[in-house]
Amino acid sequence: KQEVTQIPAALSVPEGENLVLNCSFTDSAIYNLQWFRQDPGKGLTSLLLIQSSQREQTSGRLNASLDKSSGRSTLYIAASQPGDSATYLCAVRGNTDKLIFGTGTRLQVFP
Amino acid sequence: GAVVSQHPSWVICKSGTSVKIECRSLDFQATTMFWYRQFPKQSLMLMATSNEGSKATYEQGVEKDKFLINHASLTLSTLTVTSAHPEDSSFYICSARREGGWRETQYFGPGTRLLVL
């Protein structure tokens, strides 16, 4: 059974810092991995999608890497801003249709 | 971009009543929709996978007679919480899967917050 864990569970940093959020999964036979952002009481916004054959994806200040063999992904946020405050979720898709979500990292960026 | 809507965005009901939540893909066709439940400060847990024109597939531990799912068209899936109880209070999120080759992904609705008194 696939299990997805995210570390740290919560993070509070001053504005401007570069951040690394970690995601690990137990079954390396994944189809793709996705990072999402969730604001309090809201739905999910997809940030980056990495196919199993890819090593990384970039979008603006965000960079996600994938090391499938070791079951790890990282989300790098450059020059963090207060508007980045949210919960970040990673999710993996195996050979089924199902997305298995991680436990999330609650990020707070203060001015 | 692909848009998924949910209605209502929040609902408060008395224990024992049934509540219907709609999920619509607004600008694309979704042969598959997913229903998730999220309790406070927890991650999303998949409840069921809804396929257009066929019966939904429920995850282990999810009562199919309590959470009725209907996916009658390529743009609409509904989740009905029957005889709701306080423990059903949660944040329900739907997702629609857009078929597009290897870049396929799921688009999520804004969620429906259910409070059962």
Side-chain angles (χ1 to χ4, degrees), chain B residues 7-21 81 84-86 88-90 92 112-117:
Chain B
H7 178 79
S9 57
W10 60 271
V11 58
I12 302 174
C13 68
K14 293 182 178 180
S15 183
T17 59
S18 293
V19 176
K20 179 185 283 188
I21 303 170
V81 184
H85 287 94
D88 298 323
S89 298
S90 187
Y92 292 86
T112 297
R113 187 162 301 282
L114 170 64
L115 177 60
V116 185
L117 302 176

Side-chain angles (χ1 to χ4, degrees), chain A residues 15 37-40 61 77 79-88 107-111:
Chain A
E15 181 176 10
R37 168 187 174 137
Q38 184 178 31
D39 292 288
R61 293 182 295 109
I77 304 176
S80 59
Q81 303 170 357
D84 295 331
S85 299
T87 295
Y88 290 81
L107 172 65
Q108 171 109 29
V109 181
F110 52 91

Side-chain angles (χ1 to χ4, degrees), chain B residues 36-54:
Chain B
Y36 295 84
R37 180 167 53 183
Q38 185 180 34
F39 292 106
K41 296 188 177 181
Q42 294 187 24
S43 194
L44 278 72
M45 298 300 296
L46 181 65
M47 298 175 66
T49 302
S50 165
N51 293 295
E52 187 264 337
S54 62

Side-chain angles (χ1 to χ4, degrees), chain A residues 2-17:
Chain A
Q2 178 73 274
E3 293 184 2
V4 183
T5 305
Q6 291 183 244
I7 295 174
L11 188 60
S12 183
V13 299
E15 181 176 10
E17 280 205 4

Side-chain angles (χ1 to χ4, degrees), chain A residues 31-32 34 36 38 40-46 49 51 53-54 57 89 93 96-99 101-104 106, chain B residues 32 34 36 38 41-46 49 51 59 91 93 95 97 101-106 108-111 113:
Chain A
Y31 184 67
N32 59 37
Q34 204 163 353
F36 294 90
Q38 184 178 31
K42 304 292 184 183
L44 275 66
T45 300
S46 179
L49 171 71
Q51 298 293 342
S53 59
Q54 298 176 319
Q57 283 285 335
L89 297 164
R93 184 195 307 278
T96 65
D97 280 344
K98 303 175 187 179
L99 268 179
F101 281 85
T103 47
R106 292 190 302 281
Chain B
T32 304
F34 304 87
Y36 295 84
Q38 185 180 34
K41 296 188 177 181
Q42 294 187 24
S43 194
L44 278 72
M45 298 300 296
L46 181 65
T49 302
N51 293 295
E59 294 300 300
F91 193 53
I93 301 178
S95 173
R97 184 178 177 185
W102 68 281
R103 290 191 181 276
E104 61 189 4
T105 188
Q106 291 176 222
F108 286 78
R113 187 162 301 282

Side-chain angles (χ1 to χ4, degrees), chain B residues 70-90:
Chain B
N70 185 294
H71 192 162
S73 77
L74 289 173
T75 58
L76 173 64
S77 176
T78 60
L79 168 68
T80 301
V81 184
T82 62
S83 187
H85 287 94
E87 58 266 30
D88 298 323
S89 298
S90 187

Side-chain angles (χ1 to χ4, degrees), chain B residues 55-73:
Chain B
K55 291 183 179 180
T57 302
Y58 290 81
E59 294 300 300
Q60 190 174 9
V62 178
E63 300 175 57
K64 63 180 181 181
D65 294 330
K66 181 170 182 63
F67 299 99
L68 301 179
I69 292 174
N70 185 294
H71 192 162
S73 77

